[in-house]
Amino acid sequence: MWRPCGIFDDTYEKDISIVRTLPQQVLTITGLIALLFLPQLLGAGRITTVNLIGISVVSIMGLNILIGLTGQISLGHSAFMGVGAYTLVMLMNHLGFSFWLALPFSVLSAGLIGLLFGLPSLRIKGFYLAMATLAAQFLIPWIIVHVRPDLTGGTSTLNIAAPSILGFTFDSQVRIYYLVTFFAVASIVLTRNLQRSKIGRAFVAIRDNDLAAEIMGVEIFRYKLLSFFICSLYAGLAGALWAVWMGAINVDSFTLHESIWYLGMIIVGGLGSVPGAVFGVIFIRALEPFSHYIGPPIASYFPDAIGAAIKSGISPFVFGLVILVFLIYEPRGLGHRWEIFKHFYRRWPFSY
Amino acid sequence: MVADGNIKLEVEGLSLSFGSVMALIDVSFRAREGEILALIGPNGAGKTSLLNCISGFYHPRHGQVRFNGLEINRVSPSRRAKLGISRTFQNIELYKGLTALDNLMAARHVFIKYGPVAGSIFFGKARKEEIENRSIVEEIIDLLELAEARHRVVESLAYGLRKRVDLGRALALEPKLLLLDEPMAGMNVEEKEDMARFILDIQELKHIPIIIVEHDMGVVMDISHRVVVLDFGTKIAEGSPQEIKRNEKVISAYLGKANQSGERAK
Ligand SMILES: Nc1ncnc2c1ncn2[C@@H]1O[C@H](COP(=O)(O)OP(=O)(O)OP(=O)(O)O)[C@@H](O)[C@H]1O
Ligand SMILES: [Mg+2]
């Protein structure tokens, strides 16, 4: 039991809980308080990016369940976020739903569409499944643009009203921060729980050995679909938050490009690790501003034409480089580094 | 050592082929409550295939498998697990990314009732069920002396220990029929003795039919009540260990194989 030396569990109840020791409790509470004052600490200017990170955390929690725990794959995650976002806006703008009333529908509809595109997983695995889910990434935006452009706005942008609760309106990035952070923290807690539950174990059983899982009583089909469903529920929630964050939606926000960035976050974070996934999101989302920061100085060494190409192309270039480095040098991701750090701390001062 | 319990498993006229390879040809036998039935035969005789038919992983071309009087030919593997058919694997098929504890907990799947929502909230009912099932799993950990492996990822465990976790997982399913595919293969003498002791403990504790595939005739003679012998997919003999030891067909099947290749069985 990797606990600080000398601490043992006297009941199973304690052994299965996540926050166990006093330092852990103190750390958790300090962290939550820090989150509460983050806008003041960072300054309002950076909160837009922080909000994007929060939304991505919600999204990645779902994808981590599908890829990290269940061993399936989805290249349509961003499209499922689009389903959530568009359902929200359609209900709010055309049927006059409030944000809070529309939210469950938008989450659920993304879940169901995700489940639908997960159906091929019952027959195919790996590369072929990736291709099948890629279909979602092309079909869903196509449907948004072409089927009812009078409702969805086609390729143009639709605005939505800021949600409010008890007279408090989420109409600035700092205010939206609290909405996003609430859902991000909730998503982390819920998925962390799911992971250690019966369902999480069944998912990992399917990932590690689907034949044995079936022989040990896991209904593989049902649990694969459940994984796609849950994954897309989180995508739907993230999509709805995205719409609030932007104050508007456009089909261009839900591209294959975004889906691949989510995969990158999973790779950087490490498969199946909840803290790793959070690190992965922060790392990848911080890469974009970082690239813009290092782009111009690098470009200044080159002639104008090449320099311009470097400035515009540096972000995907750095992304690709980072993914390669992680795949080669740390395929288990930042989550694994985090585990090593924790073990080190917990055994201290007896390092062996 | 005579088992006279009720018949639990009936295998009748089972045939299975892979292309032109006849893995099983018209195999029939029965297993009774509380007996340890050894399934022996040279390499490639069809022992694993027979277990796979019983646990629902292979579909026989002809014949029937009846469990508790119920015909289960069309029952899926996961439903068979619910009925209480549990097994270990020749090549240890554990969930390698999970700890030994979670491997066993994963086999409690069919007994845990809460759903995804309760699992995500992990409070009240879910927590209570987890703790109840944990204490059942802890009993198995005690029985099989798995305490040192409890919180270790099975990938990192030594071979002998992994074999034991595999057995533990099969037990966590609360089997009413236990199939063990070479549980002692690749073990040293000491580990084999431990494993034999565990199997006898289980038989005493659970009083279920245990079918064990084993190449070590010493072990077979020591722990089994009855022996079924397969060769090239056919059942060539059945009887008490003493009878089997003297059986001409069995001796020649093993000697024939021994002449062709290095033999594993003594
Ligand atoms: N999935 C499969 N596909 C093709 N052939 C198979 C398959 N499974 C088993 N066989 C064949 O069926 C025959 C019986 O194999 P099986 O694994 O049941 O033997 P066994 O008695 O368990 O042997 P061993 O002692 O080596 O484990 C062999 O000829 C084997 O090649
Ligand atoms: Mg075999």
Side-chain angles (χ1 to χ4, degrees), chain B residues 139-160:
Chain B
E139 280 169 22
I140 296 167
I141 288 177
D142 281 347
L143 181 74
L144 301 184
E145 295 159 22
L146 283 170
E148 56 170 313
R150 189 189 280 117
H151 286 290
R152 287 170 61 195
V153 174
V154 294
E155 209 170 15
S156 70
L157 297 177
Y159 175 82

Side-chain angles (χ1 to χ4, degrees), chain A:
Chain A
M1 276 172 260
W2 311 124
R3 223 60 48 67
C5 290
I7 297 184
F8 295 100
D9 295 307
D10 35 12
T11 66
Y12 303 142
E13 176 136 28
K14 277 191 201 159
D15 195 28
I16 60 173
S17 51
I18 295 171
V19 180
R20 284 178 285 226
T21 59
L22 186 65
Q24 279 178 325
Q25 286 161 358
V26 171
L27 220 64
T28 309
I29 291 168
T30 317
L32 287 176
I33 292 174
L35 276 183
L36 218 52
F37 294 105
L38 197 66
Q40 286 72 32
L41 292 172
L42 279 181
R46 295 203 183 86
I47 285 302
T48 311
T49 307
V50 172
N51 284 344
L52 177 61
I53 289 174
I55 292 166
S56 305
V57 164
V58 173
S59 184
I60 214 72
M61 287 301 125
L63 198 59
N64 194 40
I65 287 170
L66 184 76
I67 299 182
L69 294 189
T70 324
Q72 308 299 300
I73 182 99
S74 168
L75 285 176
H77 202 59
S78 167
F80 301 136
M81 281 177 67
V83 172
Y86 270 87
T87 308
L88 184 87
V89 175
M90 294 304 98
L91 292 176
M92 286 175 71
N93 287 7
H94 299 303
L95 295 180
F97 280 35
S98 74
F99 170 78
W100 300 104
L101 187 59
L103 188 63
F105 290 98
S106 88
V107 170
L108 216 61
S109 61
L112 291 174
I113 300 286
L115 188 149
L116 189 70
F117 281 96
L119 281 173
S121 70
L122 305 185
R123 302 294 302 265
I124 53 180
K125 289 184 186 177
F127 176 74
Y128 297 97
L129 180 59
M131 290 301 115
T133 57
L134 186 60
Q137 194 57 65
F138 288 100
L139 279 171
I140 291 170
W142 187 88
I143 289 168
I144 290 171
V145 172
H146 291 104
V147 172
R148 287 299 297 273
D150 54 322
L151 296 178
T152 58
T155 53
S156 56
T157 303
L158 288 183
N159 295 319
I160 62 160
S164 63
I165 187 167
L166 305 172
F168 183 90
T169 307
F170 298 96
D171 53 3
S172 72
Q173 285 296 323
V174 172
R175 290 178 161 205
I176 289 170
Y177 166 82
Y178 290 103
L179 185 72
V180 168
T181 304
F182 168 77
F183 282 112
V185 171
S187 302
I188 290 171
V189 172
L190 293 177
T191 51
R192 185 72 190 78
N193 282 336
L194 190 74
Q195 181 173 9
R196 64 183 170 143
S197 76
K198 164 196 177 175
I199 290 94
R201 286 189 298 261
F203 286 164
V204 177
I206 291 173
R207 178 193 74 188
D208 282 356
N209 197 324
D210 52 353
L211 294 179
E214 168 129 53
I215 281 178
M216 300 314 289
V218 178
E219 310 86 337
I220 308 233
F221 286 2
R222 187 197 306 180
Y223 278 84
K224 273 187 183 171
L225 290 183
L226 182 65
S227 183
F228 271 96
F229 180 66
I230 296 175
C231 166
S232 309
L233 288 180
Y234 283 99
L237 176 59
L241 292 172
W242 179 286
V244 172
W245 173 62
M246 297 281 278
I249 47 167
N250 188 291
V251 71
D252 281 345
S253 301
F254 308 106
T255 54
L256 177 62
H257 177 256
E258 275 292 311
S259 281
I260 288 175
W261 280 62
Y262 287 120
L263 291 186
M265 294 172 196
I266 297 276
I267 290 170
V268 169
L271 294 176
S273 158
V274 168
V278 176
F279 295 141
V281 168
I282 296 173
F283 193 96
I284 295 285
R285 286 298 183 203
L287 219 55
E288 184 109 41
F290 174 74
S291 315
H292 291 314
Y293 180 72
I294 62 162
I298 294 177
S300 66
Y301 287 103
F302 293 91
D304 280 353
I306 301 175
I310 288 177
K311 262 190 247 173
S312 64
I314 188 114
S315 155
F317 177 79
V318 171
F319 175 78
L321 203 64
V322 162
I323 298 300
L324 275 183
V325 167
F326 268 91
L327 285 177
I328 294 168
Y329 293 105
E330 188 49 286
R332 284 169 297 188
L334 291 171
H336 181 63
R337 289 274 136 212
W338 173 243
E339 286 300 317
I340 291 174
F341 169 75
K342 278 202 302 192
H343 283 198
F344 175 78
Y345 158 75
R346 283 172 178 175
R347 289 170 188 188
W348 190 86
F350 309 110
S351 53
Y352 48 85

Side-chain angles (χ1 to χ4, degrees), chain B residues 16 18 21-25 39-50 90 181-182 213 215 229-234 254 257 260-264:
Chain B
L16 174 77
F18 298 101
V21 179
M22 299 291 284
L24 294 172
I25 305 161
L39 188 59
I40 67 170
N43 293 117
K47 306 178 295 292
T48 299
S49 300
L50 184 52
Q90 189 167 355
D181 200 351
E182 305 202 16
V213 174
H215 280 288
V229 190
L230 290 181
D231 189 26
F232 291 113
T234 354
Y254 272 94
K257 278 280 153 72
Q260 287 162 20
S261 60
E263 237 296 289
R264 271 210 269 161

